[in-house]
Amino acid sequence: MENIILGLLLLKARTIYQLRKRINDGLNLMYSCSTGSIQAAIKKLLQNGHISVSEIMEDGKLKKIYSITDSGKDYFNAWVNSPIDNGSAKNPELTKIYFMGFAENETRVRLIEKHISDLQKIHYDLEKICNGGATVLSEMQNNDIFFYQFQTAKYGRDLMQFNIEWYSRLLKNIKE
């Protein structure tokens, strides 16, 4: 969570609300968050001097705006330039499939059909993002940041398509 926050703060200073909204709107495929997890990460980043906080009055409300520090930039750059960890490719939800033999057949079918439906909704949303992103990317001149953000949306879309196909084959096998 700390690195996600640092990356978002590299783009612009934000409130906790803005951080959570941005994570939920574009990064939720990679990472789910709660306000509590963001607050805990912010506290740790503040303690380590990786971010700073300023307060502004807006519409009669005091708002805390978080910004990345030079130390935070160094920490983030060390992380983003380190090797990609392939150990995070684990899918804990597969344990449900592993033990699904203990469930009633009607339950198995219902759960997998629901899961396929949920995956299709996510795929649809990612497809819209990818179609819009391709247009934006074609209009931009050398924007590396957006290019790689766009690649993660394409990865998510393709992963959802793979999962839809995989679970559809599983469902077909169960029904046979």
Side-chain angles (χ1 to χ4, degrees):
M1 177 58 71
E2 289 90 5
N3 290 317
I4 290 172
I5 291 171
L6 290 173
L8 291 174
L9 294 179
L10 268 172
L11 298 171
K12 71 177 192 175
R14 301 172 195 255
T15 64
I16 286 180
Y17 171 79
Q18 291 168 329
L19 286 166
R20 183 164 189 232
K21 181 165 177 24
R22 182 64 184 94
I23 292 168
N24 287 336
D25 289 348
L27 299 168
N28 59 352
L29 180 64
M30 296 169 273
Y31 209 93
S32 59
C33 74
S34 66
T35 303
S37 64
I38 292 173
Q39 289 172 332
I42 294 254
K43 182 178 178 182
K44 183 176 178 182
L45 290 167
L46 283 167
Q47 288 172 346
N48 292 331
H50 296 320
I51 63 173
S52 62
V53 62
S54 60
E55 295 179 340
I56 63 166
M57 188 65 75
E58 188 176 289
D59 298 327
K61 294 181 182 178
L62 189 62
K63 290 189 174 187
K64 292 183 178 184
I65 308 290
Y66 297 93
S67 303
I68 192 165
T69 63
D70 288 340
S71 167
K73 290 175 187 175
D74 292 343
Y75 182 83
F76 180 82
N77 283 327
W79 170 76
V80 81
N81 288 295
S82 66
I84 297 170
D85 178 16
N86 61 8
S88 60
K90 296 177 183 173
N91 182 347
E93 281 299 304
L94 279 178
T95 56
K96 191 171 282 185
I97 301 301
Y98 186 83
F99 290 112
M100 196 163 268
F102 290 107
E104 298 290 326
N105 195 52
E106 298 82 26
T107 302
R108 295 176 204 150
V109 169
R110 181 178 46 81
L111 291 173
I112 293 171
E113 285 174 342
K114 170 78 168 87
H115 189 59
I116 292 169
S117 175
D118 293 344
L119 292 171
Q120 289 169 331
K121 289 173 189 169
I122 296 168
H123 183 268
Y124 176 79
D125 291 342
L126 287 167
E127 187 67 35
K128 286 193 318 189
I129 291 169
C130 289
N131 290 339
T135 303
V136 171
L137 193 60
S138 69
E139 296 170 357
M140 298 180 84
Q141 299 287 335
N142 190 20
N143 188 331
D144 286 345
I145 295 168
F146 181 79
F147 173 80
Y148 287 99
Q149 291 173 347
F150 180 58
Q151 297 311 306
T152 60
K154 288 171 46 179
Y155 172 84
R157 178 203 59 200
D158 295 349
L159 180 61
M160 288 305 109
Q161 184 62 43
F162 168 81
N163 281 317
I164 290 166
E165 292 168 5
W166 190 89
Y167 279 99
S168 295
R169 285 191 305 271
L170 175 63
L171 183 61
K172 180 181 174 191
N173 290 335
I174 291 170
K175 288 181 173 181
E176 290 177 349

